Each structure stands twice: as structure tokens, then as C-alpha cells.
Amino acid sequence: MSDFVKRTAAKLNTVFGFFILVVVLFCIKTYIAYQTEFSLGVKGGIQQFLLVVNPIPAALLLFGIALYFRGRLVYWLMILIDLIQTSWIFANILYYREFSDFMTFSVIKGSGNVQNNLGKSIGQIIHPIDFFVYLDVVLLIVLLMTHVIHVDSRPFKRRYALTMTVLAFSLMGAEYGMANANRSGLLTRTFDNNYLVKYLGLNEYAAFSVYQTQKQSSTRAHASASDLQSVKKYLKHNRVGDNPAYFGTEKGKNVIIIHLESFQQFLINYKVDGKEVTPNLNKFYKNQNTMSFDNFYNQVAQGKTSDAEMMLENSLFGLPQGSAMTEYGTQNTFQAAPAILGQRGYTSAAFHGDVPSFWNRDNTYKSWGYNYFFSSQYYKEKPDYSVGYGLKDKIFFRDTSKYLQQLPQPFYAKLITLTNHYPYELDKENTDFPATKTGDKTVDPYVQTAHYLDEAFGEFLTYMKQSGLYKNSVIVLYGDHYGISNNHRPAIAQLLGKKKVTNYDLAQFQKVPLMIHAAGMKGGINHTYGGEIDVLPTLMDLLGVKDNHTIQFGNDLLAKNRNQTVAFRNGDFVTPQLAKVSGTVYNTKTGAVVKPNTVQKKRLAREQNHVTSELSLSDRVIQGDLLRFYQLKDFKSVNKGKYNYKYSNGMQQLKAAQKSKPTSLMAKNHGKVTATYKTDAPELK
């Protein structure tokens, strides 16, 4: 054995030597995970340097805790701390792979309601190589158990342990100073968790997430009516009027909203092997009575579907971390679409073929004023009726039709589809469309479930026409968020027919469809720029509902003088001329990188201020529960206690409602259905 090996072995047989070994191995694997598992958007030498060193301060601090103990306990404490930190990395690898974001304390707190279905797709998410992140933990245990490394029973001097602690905090301070110099306002203005991780590290990000969650709790406790003044001032300055040509044209009609799960705009008119992925949606998109928006963006963050619902029905943004529905849906006061229309004679109902607790819907929908919530307990369940995250769309639409027949009109109904949800699973009996051939197992089946969704919509469209709903309803279709995350760049490039994709391409890839259809409405392709935050004011104006004094951050998409700046939850934005994505400015029309001139810089600064203001003010409304202080003359606060969504209660209330208000399709047809639902779902044959 060489002298070098002997000296190295001797050093490892000391407490401090083992400590250094643990720290080095942990930092190496963390850096490897940064580079291979996460898309952090690292640019320049400073960011590269910070990415290398950011695991070190937290590692010194946390592993240094063990140095205050003695004997064998020191070693096993380090291994235990390593195991806990590694599990945090492992959990984030899986979470990031599906959601393109990092876990927050808000997400963890809501795990019972939100993540209970993650296990359904875990087989697709997890890769055997992921477990290599635990390799150093196993190695350290083996080295100790086989006595390759001997336990040093001598006490480690307290002053040296204290020195490690002080050094750790000093390095954290220096690291934050460098990070803040490179990214001003890192902790005060950031809307993107990627920034926190690449600058400060996963452990510091976790600590900041805990701080943010606790801060949110205290924010509500200290909020007051005066906090609304800045919100009202902003809205008064930025709100635009309605379009007289459309205002009230659909007054009194039913509203049927179809939530197209994970459905992106690029699917419209997209072909695989010469076949249209979505022929039924394509026809609906081009219908002369359908207003279709081709520059409409999803604006969700971690809350994904729940963020989309929050914007759709409240015109409030989702939160930068966690889910507003999960965190605030139970206790907060809202002025949501079901309640607004409910106080104008509408019956409201949400339909969803999954458990009612997912995204805390069973509580949030009460806060929003939904009369009925038809969840999985209202649908027949057989083993082959469900896939992935719930009831298959063809069966869902068929079974939903019988409840729609019984709803007193006019009604406001939201139907949430599920089959086109990651991991895009579908049995062979329902798969009649070719997959794409990108070689990405996550991406390729996406078009198959999208095609199935399209077939299900086609059947439902036929039913609406035959039943009488089609001519007396405003039908709204929208995609809630992306289906293919930015982690699949090579596959996305192939789908778009490009050699590689830029950040600009990925921003444009966030477009989702919005279609608003009504009999007699002048349709066409509308090129205005907008997002999910704008749906509610657009719908209210079509229905003739004055909402001048409501707290809504969107604007009518049909208004002629609207600001077309679309804010993304991370603080980026897009306008018809310029787009700012990950710190780079692009020409929106061409995708070319722009070096802004003086005039453009001033405009970009104004737009950035506008985006930052509306995001932060919307957060203030939700986190402070400010609507509890805001009383409108024509709106009464929702009494959550009068709603009960259990099957027995729901059916009793539905029967009673039909007697007191006999305006449903069945009531008008002497208790008989107005159309027989036809589906080719093989499970029902």
C-alpha cells in the first residue's frame, strides 16, 4: 500500500475525515442531479460557479450537527442526515419530472388532497437509475459495517464544530451576496423556483419555502380592509370596458365549460401519419359560430389544473408556490362565477370523474358557490371504466349527460376531462391512433389520448345537438395547462419540425386553445393575446353581467382597447411585439433575439412593472383573504354551510330543485330524456 493511500485511509479514520468524505460525496451527487435531472437555465460563469458551490454551505451546516456528538453516534447521524437530504433530492427528481417544478412546503402540506393520485403515474415517472442518488449512502454504510473506515471514538472539539457552523453561515451569506448581485431581488421578486435552486441550492430553497408558507399564514391574520385600496386603484387604472357589439348577446343562455385536460394549442390541426389528431375539435374550432383564440396562453404555476380553475372562475392568479385551492379554498371568501351567476337565477354544477378531495375541490367549490359537485361517487365504477387519474372521457361524458338533463335551466356547468392526463395511458381497445415517433416514451402516446378525448368530445357534441343544449348554450372549451413539459426539448423539437427549440419556442408552446361557441354568434379566429385570467370577464360580458366593481385581474378578450400583455406566473411575459423569457427578449412574431433600444427598454420596464404588480396584488388578495372585506351591492357572500355534495344529498336536492323550478330538459319533456346518448366505448358493450 502506497504512503498516499495510507495517509488517506488514516485521515478517513478520523471524525473530521469522515465528515469531509460525506460532504464531498453529497455535493458531487447534488451537482450531478442539477445537471442531469433539472432544467435550471444556467447561463454564464457566475451562475455555473454558484451551481457548483451552492450545495456546500447547507452540507457543512447540516452534517456539522453531528460533530457536536461523540463516538459511533456521530457517524450514524451523518448517514441519517445524508439519507434525509438524499430523499429530498429524490422526491424533487420525481416531482420535477412530471410538474417541471420543485416541491414546496405548501405542496407537502396538501399531500393528502393533492398528491394522493401521484402513485397512479409513479411507474411512468420513476426510472431505475434514479436510485443511484442513494449510492453514496449505501457506500458509507458498507465502509462502516465492513470496518474499512474505523469509528474514531475521540470527542471532536466543540470549538471546531462551532467553526464549521460559523463557516457554513458565512458561506451562505457570501453565496447569497453573489446570487443577488447577479439576480437582483432574488428572494423578494422571484416568481420562479428554478432561480432559487440554481442560485442558492435545494436545501436553502426548502427553507425559503417553509418561510413563505408561514408568511402566508401570518399575512391573512394581519390583513385589513385598507389593504384593498392598492388593489382597487390598480384595477381602476387597468380595467377596460366591454365590447358593445358582444355585451349581453348571450344573456340567459346555459354555460357549458369543457375543461380539456393537458391539451395544448399545437394539437389543433396537427397530423400524425397524415391523420388529424383532433378532427372534431378542429371542426368546432373553425365553426362560423365559434370564436377561437390562437394566441391564448396557460398561466399556471405549481397548482397546474387548480390554478387554471382559479383563473377561469375568479380571474385571480394561482400562487407562485403550492395551490391556492388547497391552501385557501376552504377558508377564503371568493366572488366566483358560480356564485355570481347563481345570484342571477343560474343553477351551477361541476362534473369530475375522480375523488372529490383532489385539489380540495369538495371544499373550494362550496366557497365558490357551486350548487352541485358530481364527483366519482355519482358515476358507476368498474375496473375498466377508469385509467390514470379517473373515469375515461367517453364514459364520463355519457354519464354526465343524464345529470345535465335534470339541471334546472339556465345552468352553469363545468365538465373536467381526465383521460388526456400524464402518463397518457390508454388500453388497446380504445387506442386506434398512431403514436408519434420521437423516441420519448412520455411524449409519444400524448397524441393517442388527445385523439381519444377528441372522439369523446365528438360524441358529446352530437348529444348536445340532439338534446337541444347546443342551440341554447354558450359552450366554452379551454386547455388548462401544458401536456408536454419543457423537460422534453428534443421531442418537442421533433413535434414542431425544428432541429432544436429555444426558450422562446417553449414559451409559445405554452399556448392552449380557447373556443367560445354560441348559436348565432359571429365567430372566427381571434388573434388577440390573452390568457386564462381573461376568461371570466369575457364570459360575464357575453352574458350581460356588469362586473365593473368586482376584483378581477383579467380583461374581456373582445374589448378593443385591452392591454395584450400576458403575464406568466414566473414573471415572464409576452406581448404582440416583444416577449421576455428567462431574461432574454424576443421578437414575438419571428422568435429572433432582440437587443432592446432605448424606447424598447422603457416599454419593457413598463410591461415588467405591470406584470409584477398584477401578480403580487392578486397574491395579496388570496393570501390576505381580502375579499372578506369587500362587499358589493349586487353580490352576497357565499354561505358555504348550505352545500353538501354527498351522493344522497345531491340527488335529493336535484329532485327538489326540479319540482320548484321545472325548467330542466327532462321537466320540459314530461320527465323523459330528450336524446339518447350514443358512444362507441367498448367497455359499455
Side-chain angles (χ1 to χ4, degrees), residues 291-352:
M291 182 73 73
S292 299
F293 297 85
D294 61 355
N295 288 310
F296 183 80
Y297 295 81
N298 90 72
Q299 298 170 286
V300 306
Q302 285 188 329
K304 296 297 186 287
T305 294
S306 69
D307 285 355
E309 289 190 67
M310 179 63 70
M311 286 183 279
L312 179 83
E313 306 201 76
N314 296 273
S315 199
L316 296 173
F317 287 97
L319 298 175
Q321 294 184 343
S323 162
M325 283 176 59
T326 300
E327 292 297 304
Y328 298 95
T330 303
Q331 64 182 10
N332 271 26
T333 299
F334 294 95
Q335 295 168 358
I340 293 172
L341 294 176
Q343 294 176 26
R344 288 168 171 79
Y346 275 71
T347 305
S348 57
F351 300 86
H352 179 54

Side-chain angles (χ1 to χ4, degrees), residues 222-476:
H222 294 95
S224 66
S226 61
D227 294 329
L228 269 171
Q229 296 308 311
S230 57
V231 176
K232 290 192 288 185
K233 182 179 179 181
Y234 170 84
L235 293 177
K236 183 178 180 180
H237 180 72
N238 289 277
R239 191 186 297 275
V240 299
D242 55 71
N243 186 331
Y246 287 93
F247 184 83
T249 55
E250 312 308 325
K251 187 175 183 178
K253 288 187 176 181
N254 298 320
V255 177
I256 299 175
I257 296 176
I258 300 177
H259 174 115
L260 303 173
E261 174 62 43
S262 305
F263 196 96
Q264 294 178 242
Q265 175 70 16
F266 87 90
L267 287 169
I268 299 296
N269 297 322
Y270 193 79
K271 294 181 179 180
V272 177
D273 295 345
K275 299 178 181 179
E276 290 181 298
V277 177
T278 58
N280 295 301
L281 287 166
N282 294 345
K283 290 178 183 177
F284 191 79
Y285 185 82
K286 301 169 187 174
N287 187 283
Q288 62 179 355
N289 299 130
T290 301
M291 182 73 73
S292 299
F293 297 85
D294 61 355
N295 288 310
F296 183 80
Y297 295 81
N298 90 72
Q299 298 170 286
V300 306
Q302 285 188 329
K304 296 297 186 287
T305 294
S306 69
D307 285 355
E309 289 190 67
M310 179 63 70
M311 286 183 279
L312 179 83
E313 306 201 76
N314 296 273
S315 199
L316 296 173
F317 287 97
L319 298 175
Q321 294 184 343
S323 162
M325 283 176 59
T326 300
E327 292 297 304
Y328 298 95
T330 303
Q331 64 182 10
N332 271 26
T333 299
F334 294 95
Q335 295 168 358
I340 293 172
L341 294 176
Q343 294 176 26
R344 288 168 171 79
Y346 275 71
T347 305
S348 57
F351 300 86
H352 179 54
D354 198 4
V355 294
S357 61
F358 200 66
W359 289 125
N360 195 34
R361 286 188 177 98
D362 51 346
N363 293 308
T364 302
Y365 285 173
K366 293 175 183 177
S367 299
W368 291 358
Y370 267 111
N371 299 118
Y372 305 98
F373 178 25
F374 298 92
S375 61
S376 57
Q377 59 187 307
Y378 287 82
Y379 296 89
K380 290 183 179 179
E381 291 192 28
K382 291 185 178 180
D384 58 349
Y385 279 17
S386 296
V387 64
Y389 278 72
L391 201 63
K392 293 175 183 175
D393 293 340
K394 288 185 180 181
I395 300 172
F396 168 69
F397 277 126
R398 188 205 69 156
D399 290 354
T400 295
S401 67
K402 67 181 180 182
Y403 296 119
L404 286 175
Q405 288 266 350
Q406 300 176 64
L407 285 181
Q409 300 181 91
F411 60 72
Y412 173 90
K414 178 175 64 176
L415 286 63
I416 303 175
T417 64
L418 281 169
T419 308
N420 193 48
H421 194 296
Y422 183 87
Y424 314 119
E425 295 177 331
L426 201 57
D427 48 276
K428 291 181 179 180
E429 289 76 15
N430 283 290
T431 306
D432 60 354
F433 196 81
T436 53
K437 300 177 179 64
T438 69
D440 189 317
K441 293 181 180 179
T442 296
V443 173
D444 287 338
Y446 177 62
V447 293
Q448 294 178 314
T449 51
H451 182 73
Y452 175 86
L453 168 58
D454 178 79
E455 290 182 331
F457 170 71
E459 294 175 349
F460 184 64
L461 190 63
T462 299
Y463 161 76
M464 285 194 289
K465 291 177 179 179
Q466 294 176 349
S467 67
L469 287 175
Y470 187 77
K471 64 181 180 181
N472 194 39
S473 300
V474 179
I475 303 170
V476 180

Side-chain angles (χ1 to χ4, degrees), residues 62-66 76-86:
L62 295 174
F63 290 122
I65 294 172
W76 290 109
L77 270 178
M78 287 188 202
I79 290 175
L80 177 61
I81 294 169
D82 195 359
L83 179 64
I84 293 171
Q85 290 190 87
T86 301

Side-chain angles (χ1 to χ4, degrees), residues 75-335:
Y75 293 79
W76 290 109
L77 270 178
M78 287 188 202
I79 290 175
L80 177 61
I81 294 169
D82 195 359
L83 179 64
I84 293 171
Q85 290 190 87
T86 301
S87 297
W88 173 239
I89 296 173
F90 183 79
N92 273 283
I93 288 172
L94 302 187
Y95 189 83
Y96 197 94
R97 191 167 290 153
E98 178 167 6
F99 298 108
S100 297
D101 205 346
F102 295 94
M103 296 184 73
T104 65
F105 189 61
S106 298
V107 168
I108 296 170
K109 279 178 62 181
S111 60
N113 290 324
V114 181
Q115 299 302 320
N116 56 359
N117 277 8
L118 189 59
K120 295 179 180 179
S121 58
I122 201 74
Q124 295 287 334
I125 297 172
I126 201 165
H127 300 159
I129 198 172
D130 295 335
F131 292 99
F132 274 83
V133 76
Y134 288 99
L135 184 60
D136 66 317
V137 179
V138 175
L139 175 63
L140 292 170
I141 293 173
V142 170
L143 290 175
L144 280 178
M145 296 295 289
T146 58
H147 303 292
V148 173
I149 292 180
H150 299 286
V151 173
D152 183 2
S153 59
R154 293 172 298 174
F156 193 76
K157 293 183 178 180
R158 284 294 178 92
R159 66 175 182 270
Y160 294 155
L162 183 60
T163 299
M164 285 296 106
T165 303
V166 172
L167 177 61
F169 280 114
S170 299
L171 290 175
M172 282 183 185
E175 179 190 2
Y176 174 71
M178 291 182 65
N180 201 52
N182 191 255
R183 169 72 177 180
S184 180
L186 179 62
L187 297 182
T188 56
R189 298 185 62 217
T190 184
F191 294 98
D192 190 347
N193 294 327
N194 280 296
Y195 282 103
L196 295 176
V197 173
K198 77 176 178 181
Y199 280 114
L200 302 181
L202 261 175
N203 284 313
E204 288 85 344
Y205 160 76
F208 183 72
S209 174
V210 172
Y211 164 75
Q212 285 286 78
T213 302
Q214 294 304 112
K215 182 181 177 182
Q216 289 173 4
S217 299
S218 63
T219 297
R220 186 183 190 280
H222 294 95
S224 66
S226 61
D227 294 329
L228 269 171
Q229 296 308 311
S230 57
V231 176
K232 290 192 288 185
K233 182 179 179 181
Y234 170 84
L235 293 177
K236 183 178 180 180
H237 180 72
N238 289 277
R239 191 186 297 275
V240 299
D242 55 71
N243 186 331
Y246 287 93
F247 184 83
T249 55
E250 312 308 325
K251 187 175 183 178
K253 288 187 176 181
N254 298 320
V255 177
I256 299 175
I257 296 176
I258 300 177
H259 174 115
L260 303 173
E261 174 62 43
S262 305
F263 196 96
Q264 294 178 242
Q265 175 70 16
F266 87 90
L267 287 169
I268 299 296
N269 297 322
Y270 193 79
K271 294 181 179 180
V272 177
D273 295 345
K275 299 178 181 179
E276 290 181 298
V277 177
T278 58
N280 295 301
L281 287 166
N282 294 345
K283 290 178 183 177
F284 191 79
Y285 185 82
K286 301 169 187 174
N287 187 283
Q288 62 179 355
N289 299 130
T290 301
M291 182 73 73
S292 299
F293 297 85
D294 61 355
N295 288 310
F296 183 80
Y297 295 81
N298 90 72
Q299 298 170 286
V300 306
Q302 285 188 329
K304 296 297 186 287
T305 294
S306 69
D307 285 355
E309 289 190 67
M310 179 63 70
M311 286 183 279
L312 179 83
E313 306 201 76
N314 296 273
S315 199
L316 296 173
F317 287 97
L319 298 175
Q321 294 184 343
S323 162
M325 283 176 59
T326 300
E327 292 297 304
Y328 298 95
T330 303
Q331 64 182 10
N332 271 26
T333 299
F334 294 95
Q335 295 168 358

Side-chain angles (χ1 to χ4, degrees), residues 486-518:
N486 292 349
N487 294 326
H488 302 276
R489 285 177 178 243
I492 293 172
Q494 291 186 56
L495 292 176
L496 299 180
K498 298 187 175 186
K499 291 184 178 180
K500 64 178 181 178
V501 289
T502 66
N503 286 335
Y504 167 81
D505 295 323
L506 295 176
Q508 296 304 303
F509 203 58
Q510 298 307 307
K511 288 182 181 180
V512 292
L514 172 66
M515 310 173 213
I516 303 175
H517 174 95

